[in-house]
């Protein structure tokens, strides 16, 4: 159970590529990487979840915090390439209606 | 072996023996000596002090430079002594905290305890098992004067003590809603505002709320982002997912909740659960919905309470008795 985070700094667009599992153990690591990026006005943060095969509700909590922070600092959060299992979590919890999710690129095997 | 006493004589003899023979046994005894000293809260500088005394007794003509250097060493060790004392205090405090947490966990159980009500024509079974000390899952039954049954099942995200406290808040809010407002979508909308105002940003709650009317068999329900339950229709001998749409509690104060309605006929059953059931892992693999329903089907002919317990035992075995998440399951059998 591990989470790798790759950070691509392209100025106004900040990319985070995650690989592995987001759970109670790895979510703090993601929070540490994600939250500071939301605090710059006008920045778009693109989180690539293509290689995340598991996420539990702790991970959702981090994305909710990040979303609230983007509202406060006027930045933008987008999630891309979610695997079906992860996408389902956002659907069930209704978070797909408030978080910008782009599933045109599907994640997974 | 004779026990070591913490005194200069003992130490001196040990030291003398070692200097003369330089053998392993004396070194081993020195190790025992230090362990015993720790047990008796002897600080490192006290040991050095004893060493200095022993050395002086053994070698009365000790060069003055060695003597001064030993005093220097003594001073240097004082901080270590303090750190060690602090460590001891922290260890005691940790023990106290652990026992307080277990008291809190017991209190949580008492505060949140709910009795399964007797409803004519409905057989209810419920089980909730935490994966750690404090349970983040919660279920609650309320009956009103017209004998309607309110059923809440919830999962607080953000684990541990804050989650448990949020649970208590939910329970008391639920109990304080007047009967005229006990309609699932209204209850969720009200709770959402309570949670949104009171709970920290990374914490949120998923909840299903249902209202069962025993006379008509109607079950009205709404869900705030909760894992969907299943409706078993006996006539068709089929399970249907109780698909709903609604945002988790505590994220936006604007959230509204759609209300749905099913009518339960004889031998129909409603299954409510949390993601601890559906996100169950077998080794590296996740269980799929079909497998969950198969297990439920295997036991559902039994009385509801017995059935939920057997389903739980089944999942517990699948996961080698190591729950990854809190597990809650409710059967409502008509």
């Amino acid at each position: 159970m591990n989470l790798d985070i790759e950070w691509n700094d392209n100025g106004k667009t900040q990319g985070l590529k995650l690989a592995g599992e987001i759970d109670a153990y790895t979510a703090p690591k993601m929070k540490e990487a994600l939250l500071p990026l939301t605090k710059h006005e006008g920045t778009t943060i693109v989180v690539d979840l293509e290689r995340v095969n598991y996420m539990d509700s702790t991970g959702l909590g981090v994305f909710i915090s990040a979303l609230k922070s983007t509202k406060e600092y006027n930045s933008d959060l987008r999630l891309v390439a979610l695997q079906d299992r992860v996408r389902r979590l956002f659907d069930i919890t209704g978070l797909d209606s408030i978080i910008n999710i782009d599933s045109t690129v599907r994640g997974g095997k | 072996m004779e026990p070591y006493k913490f005194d200069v004589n003992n130490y001196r003899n040990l030291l003398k023996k070692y200097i003369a023979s330089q053998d392993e046994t004396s070194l081993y005894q020195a190790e025992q000596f230090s362990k015993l000293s720790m047990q008796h809260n002897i600080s490192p500088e006290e040991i050095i002090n004893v060493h200095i005394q022993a050395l002086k007794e053994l070698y009365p003509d000790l060069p003055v430079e060695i003597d001064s250097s030993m005093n220097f060493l003594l001073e240097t060790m004082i901080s270590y002594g303090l750190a060690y004392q602090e460590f001891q205090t922290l260890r005691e405090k940790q023990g106290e905290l652990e026992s307080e947490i277990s008291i809190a966990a017991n209190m949580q159980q008492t505060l949140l305890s709910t009795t399964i009500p007797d409803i004519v024509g409905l057989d209810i079974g419920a089980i909730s098992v935490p994966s750690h000390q404090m349970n983040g899952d919660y279920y609650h039954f309320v009956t009103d004067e017209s004998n309607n049954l309110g059923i809440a099942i919830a999962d607080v995200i953000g684990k541990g003590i804050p989650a448990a406290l949020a649970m208590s808040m939910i329970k008391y809010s639920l109990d304080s809603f007047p009967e005229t407002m006990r309609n699932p979508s209204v209850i969720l909308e009200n709770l959402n505002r309570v949670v949104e105002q009171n709970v920290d940003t990374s914490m949120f709650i998923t909840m299903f709320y249902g209202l069962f009317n025993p006379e008509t068999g109607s079950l009205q329900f709404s869900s705030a982002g909760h894992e969907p339950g299943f409706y078993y229709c006996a006539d068709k001998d089929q399970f249907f997912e109780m698909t709903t749409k609604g945002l988790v509690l505590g994220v936006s104060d604007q959230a509204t909740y759609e209300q749905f309605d099913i009518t339960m006929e004889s031998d129909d059953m409603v299954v409510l659960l949390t993601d601890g059931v559906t996100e169950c892992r077998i080794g590296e693999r996740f269980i799929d919905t079909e497998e969950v329903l198969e297990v439920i089907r295997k036991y559902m002919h039994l009385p509801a309470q017995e059935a939920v317990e057997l389903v739980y035992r089944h999942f517990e075995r699948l996961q080698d008795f190591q729950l990854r998440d809190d597990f809650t399951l409710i059967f409502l059998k008509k």
Side-chain angles (χ1 to χ4, degrees):
Chain A
M1 278 172 273
N2 222 330
L3 180 70
D4 289 319
I5 303 179
E6 194 186 305
W7 177 29
N8 290 305
D9 181 354
N10 291 316
K12 284 282 169 201
T13 306
Q14 297 286 324
L16 283 184
K17 240 186 170 64
L18 308 183
E21 300 187 355
I22 306 171
D23 58 17
Y25 300 98
T26 60
K29 187 176 167 186
M30 173 169 84
K31 189 171 188 171
E32 221 171 89
L34 180 59
L35 262 280
L37 300 181
T38 60
K39 295 183 179 166
H40 300 285
E41 196 175 327
T43 309
T44 301
I45 304 110
V46 180
V47 183
D48 185 333
L49 294 167
E50 186 175 359
R51 289 171 62 211
V52 171
N53 50 29
Y54 174 80
M55 180 167 90
D56 72 5
S57 32
T58 337
L60 286 181
V62 175
F63 284 119
I64 290 174
S65 294
L67 180 78
K68 287 185 173 172
S69 173
T70 59
K71 300 258 187 289
E72 192 180 334
Y73 292 94
N74 229 344
S75 53
D76 190 26
L77 174 70
R78 309 173 72 89
L79 309 183
V80 299
L82 283 67
Q83 296 192 18
D84 288 344
R85 212 181 169 88
V86 176
R87 168 82 213 200
R88 180 179 175 269
L89 260 185
F90 284 94
D91 292 345
I92 289 176
T93 49
L95 292 169
D96 59 334
S97 64
I98 55 166
I99 297 182
N100 198 330
I101 297 174
D102 185 353
S103 282
T104 48
V105 191
R106 291 271 289 283
K109 298 143 235 170
Chain B
M1 200 187 303
E2 66 181 63
Y4 289 97
K5 280 192 192 130
F6 183 73
D7 64 41
V8 184
N9 291 340
N10 206 321
Y11 187 87
R12 190 190 55 227
N13 294 340
L14 212 58
L15 183 65
K16 187 177 174 186
K17 211 168 115 197
Y18 178 68
I19 293 175
S21 66
Q22 303 208 358
D23 66 350
E24 291 281 329
T25 324
S26 316
L27 274 185
Y28 172 72
Q29 285 172 334
E31 192 190 320
Q32 296 296 99
F33 185 88
S34 87
K35 279 184 185 158
L36 255 164
S37 306
M38 283 172 91
Q39 277 172 24
H40 292 93
N41 290 331
I42 308 293
S43 66
E45 70 267 24
E46 277 178 78
I47 293 191
I48 292 174
N49 194 28
V50 167
H51 183 82
I52 296 172
Q53 285 181 45
L55 209 57
K56 280 183 180 163
E57 281 172 33
L58 288 173
Y59 306 100
D61 303 323
L62 200 66
V64 66
E65 290 85 354
I66 299 283
D67 194 11
S68 323
S69 85
M70 292 311 281
N71 284 329
F72 190 81
L73 178 63
L74 187 73
E75 283 302 313
T76 324
M77 291 311 284
I78 285 176
S79 294
Y80 284 92
L82 291 175
Y84 179 66
Q85 264 177 21
E86 205 173 318
F87 164 74
Q88 291 290 5
T89 319
L90 286 176
R91 199 151 75 171
E92 279 164 26
K93 273 198 186 143
Q94 192 191 13
E96 284 167 19
L97 283 177
E98 270 165 15
S99 77
E100 275 184 27
I101 290 173
S102 85
I103 293 170
N106 283 333
M107 272 176 74
Q108 187 201 14
Q109 279 191 340
T110 315
L111 281 173
L112 297 182
S113 63
T114 182
T115 40
I116 298 177
D118 275 327
I119 304 284
V120 179
L122 193 70
D123 179 17
I124 306 172
I127 186 168
S128 186
V129 184
S131 64
H132 299 289
Q133 264 191 325
M134 307 287 269
N135 197 344
D137 282 1
Y138 174 58
Y139 67 85
H140 189 51
F141 295 105
V142 215
T143 44
D144 64 18
E145 278 171 7
S146 12
N147 225 359
N148 292 316
L149 170 71
I151 311 126
I153 178 166
D155 184 358
V156 176
I157 283 79
K159 301 286 177 204
I161 294 174
L165 293 176
M167 270 309 159
S168 310
M169 188 176 83
I170 288 281
K171 182 204 158 133
Y172 287 100
S173 306
L174 274 179
D175 284 341
S176 62
F177 287 133
E179 274 186 21
T180 47
M181 283 166 57
R182 294 202 174 276
N183 146 349
S185 63
V186 175
I187 285 192
L188 292 184
E189 274 160 34
N190 283 311
L191 279 181
N192 178 52
R193 280 193 289 271
V194 173
V195 176
E196 211 269 331
Q197 282 164 18
N198 290 290
V199 172
D200 132 66
T201 60
S202 61
M203 192 149 119
F204 63 91
I205 297 169
T206 75
M207 180 185 268
F208 169 99
Y209 195 90
L211 187 67
F212 179 74
N213 180 330
E215 272 174 34
T216 61
S218 128
L219 177 73
Q220 296 174 302
F221 60 95
S222 291
S223 165
H226 194 77
E227 185 69 29
F230 297 96
Y231 164 56
Y232 172 76
C233 172
D235 192 31
K236 299 195 173 92
D237 188 26
Q238 244 185 319
F239 282 99
F240 296 93
E241 192 179 75
M242 293 162 71
T243 318
T244 51
K245 194 82 191 169
L247 186 62
V248 294
L249 303 176
V251 174
S252 157
D253 59 358
Q254 302 295 312
T256 54
Y257 298 93
E258 204 178 328
Q259 189 165 302
F260 302 83
D261 202 331
I262 53 176
T263 304
M264 293 179 74
E265 306 289 346
S266 237
D267 296 326
D268 284 0
M269 179 171 83
V270 163
V271 178
L272 304 175
L273 34 73
T274 55
D275 59 1
V277 182
T278 47
E279 293 284 305
C280 160
R281 270 185 202 226
I282 312 161
E284 279 301 293
R285 190 176 70 83
F286 289 99
I287 197 162
D288 63 37
T289 308
E290 288 311 311
E291 290 174 271
V292 174
L293 292 178
E294 245 170 63
V295 180
I296 290 173
R297 199 180 264 278
K298 187 172 161 194
Y299 297 109
M300 68 186 196
H301 63 282
L302 297 167
Q305 190 57 38
E306 196 182 332
V308 290
E309 279 166 21
L310 286 170
V311 172
Y312 168 67
R313 299 273 167 247
H314 185 103
F315 279 91
E316 195 189 25
R317 263 199 314 276
L318 276 186
Q319 298 179 88
D320 283 331
F321 304 93
Q322 294 273 319
L323 289 193
R324 198 182 154 102
D325 197 356
D326 306 331
F327 181 108
T328 301
L329 183 66
I330 296 177
F331 283 0
L332 308 169
K333 286 173 71 175
K334 188 149 163 38

